[in-house]
């Protein structure tokens, strides 16, 4: 997808600090971390947001959720962690390529909205 920041990261046109990669998924460190550990997990196929998840592409989302505990364990997030996906403007989504934030490494605020 042209002009998609995360598609450019997947293509290697923009550098990232990768923590995990396979054929369908990439995980890398957020450039502006909001917690000691802040990782973004993305599908390599361009899905704009949670709203774009369908029966045809949801297998990669299931795969991401199987990987998240493995990534959290590798990052030693033994005290727990939060998984967040902002969908659309009211949620403050700034990059229109589906991504799941993994946040941890400290006791996180309980604020949800
Ligand atoms: P969201 O606001 O939920 O759409 O999340 C987008 C996230 O992408 C933010 O946390 C940004 O800090 C992060 N981000 C933006 N550009 C980059 C980049 N080049 N490398 C890593 N993370 C980025
Ligand atoms: Zn994209």
């Amino acid at each position: 997808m042209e002009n998609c920041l995360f598609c450019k990261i997947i293509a290697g046109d923009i550098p990232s600090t990768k923590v995990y990669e396979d054929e369908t998924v990439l995980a890398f460190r957020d450039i502006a971390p909001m917690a000691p550990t802040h990782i973004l997990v993305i599908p390599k196929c361009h899905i704009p947001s949670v709203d774009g998840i369908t029966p045809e592409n949801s297998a990669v989302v299931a795969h991401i959720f199987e990987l998240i505990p493995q990534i959290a364990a590798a990052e030693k997030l033994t005290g727990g962690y939060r998984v967040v996906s902002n969908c659309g403007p009211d949620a403050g989504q700034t990059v229109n390529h589906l991504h799941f934030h993994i946040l941890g490494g400290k006791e996180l605020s309980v604020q949800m909205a």
Side-chain angles (χ1 to χ4, degrees):
M1 176 68 73
E2 270 180 49
N3 291 325
C4 171
L5 177 67
F6 287 174
C7 283
K8 288 178 182 168
I9 286 177
I10 290 161
D13 296 338
I14 292 175
S16 67
T17 306
K18 294 177 189 178
V19 298
Y20 175 87
E21 182 171 21
D22 66 22
E23 278 185 9
T24 59
V25 172
L26 178 66
F28 54 98
R29 296 197 190 279
D30 196 292
I31 204 167
M34 297 184 67
T37 299
H38 187 169
I39 290 166
L40 301 173
V41 191
I42 67 174
K44 287 191 173 177
C45 62
H46 182 86
I47 301 170
S49 72
V50 168
D51 269 347
I53 299 171
T54 66
E56 288 70 36
N57 65 25
S58 62
V60 71
V61 180
H63 182 46
I64 284 172
F65 273 81
E66 290 168 5
L67 290 169
I68 284 171
Q70 297 178 28
I71 293 167
E75 293 289 320
K76 299 186 170 52
L77 300 179
T78 52
Y81 55 92
R82 182 170 292 157
V83 180
V84 174
S85 189
N86 296 315
C87 179
D90 279 1
Q93 184 179 4
T94 59
V95 179
N96 293 324
H97 182 124
L98 180 64
H99 52 283
F100 297 92
H101 300 255
I102 302 175
L103 297 148
K106 70 170 186 179
E107 195 170 323
L108 300 165
S109 152
V110 295
Q111 191 173 337
M112 290 292 284

